[in-house]
């Protein structure tokens, strides 16, 4: 068993991490998971949350608002909708993200042709975003 696996975190704005990781904790849409070397291959969607990387160089944390994670045979790739180092997150950033998510939820509720499941998904996203602030004590 290898001790590390290549990990890459990218958002539309920039590449945030490219390291050899011993473990990556991922906020998956169906629950948190920890990916390590020799993990079974899979693809999952992300929910808003804290992504943690353990590596020989040290540990790091990033805030992600959604996206996808792909765990392959030799690498883990996270393509985040929005991401930033956890240390850069401020209450102002979080308030902006919550306001944007709340507006999307309201728009989904107001649209007459939207399936109820889409409104429910928007409500869940809003709840996850608000919980992120509680988790980070912001």
């Amino acid at each position: 068993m290898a001790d590390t696996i290549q990990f890459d975190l990218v958002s539309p704005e920039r590449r945030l991490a490219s390291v050899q990781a011993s473990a990556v904790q991922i906020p998956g849409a169906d629950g948190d998971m920890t990916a390590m070397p020799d993990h079974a291959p899979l693809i999952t969607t992300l929910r808003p949350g804290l992504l943690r990387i353990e590596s020989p160089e040290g540990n790091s944390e990033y805030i992600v608002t959604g996206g996808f994670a792909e765990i392959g045979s030799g690498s883990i790739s996270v393509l985040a909708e929005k991401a930033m180092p956890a240390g850069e997150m401020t209450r102002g950033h979080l308030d902006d993200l919550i306001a944007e998510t709340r507006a999307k939820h309201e728009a989904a509720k107001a649209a007459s042709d939207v399936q109820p499941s889409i409104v429910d998904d928007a409500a869940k996203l809003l709840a996850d975003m608000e919980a992120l602030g509680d988790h980070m004590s912001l």
Side-chain angles (χ1 to χ4, degrees):
M1 177 175 149
D3 292 338
T4 61
I5 188 168
Q6 177 62 38
F7 172 76
D8 293 292
L9 170 61
V10 296
S11 72
E13 295 84 27
R14 61 185 170 156
R15 171 175 280 184
L16 289 117
S18 182
V19 299
Q20 289 293 312
S22 53
V24 180
Q25 295 176 3
I26 300 169
D30 293 325
D32 291 348
M33 70 175 69
T34 301
M36 301 171 72
D38 294 328
H39 192 286
L42 69 87
I43 295 175
T44 186
T45 55
L46 303 178
R47 64 170 172 71
L50 193 61
L51 184 137
R52 292 184 177 101
I53 305 164
E54 297 174 21
S55 73
E57 294 84 33
N59 299 341
S60 52
E61 297 181 331
Y62 296 87
I63 303 300
V64 295
T65 62
F68 297 90
E70 178 183 14
I71 302 169
S73 60
S75 65
I76 302 168
S77 299
V78 173
L79 308 172
E81 290 174 0
K82 293 183 183 177
M84 72 173 54
E88 293 179 13
M89 176 66 88
T90 65
R91 185 68 216 188
H93 287 119
L94 183 62
D95 288 343
D96 290 345
L97 291 171
I98 291 171
E100 181 181 321
T101 305
R102 185 170 282 122
K104 289 178 182 176
H105 179 237
E106 292 301 322
K109 288 192 316 186
S112 61
D113 62 341
V114 171
Q115 299 289 333
S117 64
I118 293 174
V119 176
D120 292 343
D121 289 346
K124 171 80 169 88
L125 182 63
L126 178 58
D128 286 343
M129 196 69 72
E130 290 170 338
L132 178 60
D134 293 340
H135 178 73
M136 294 189 64
S137 302
L138 289 177

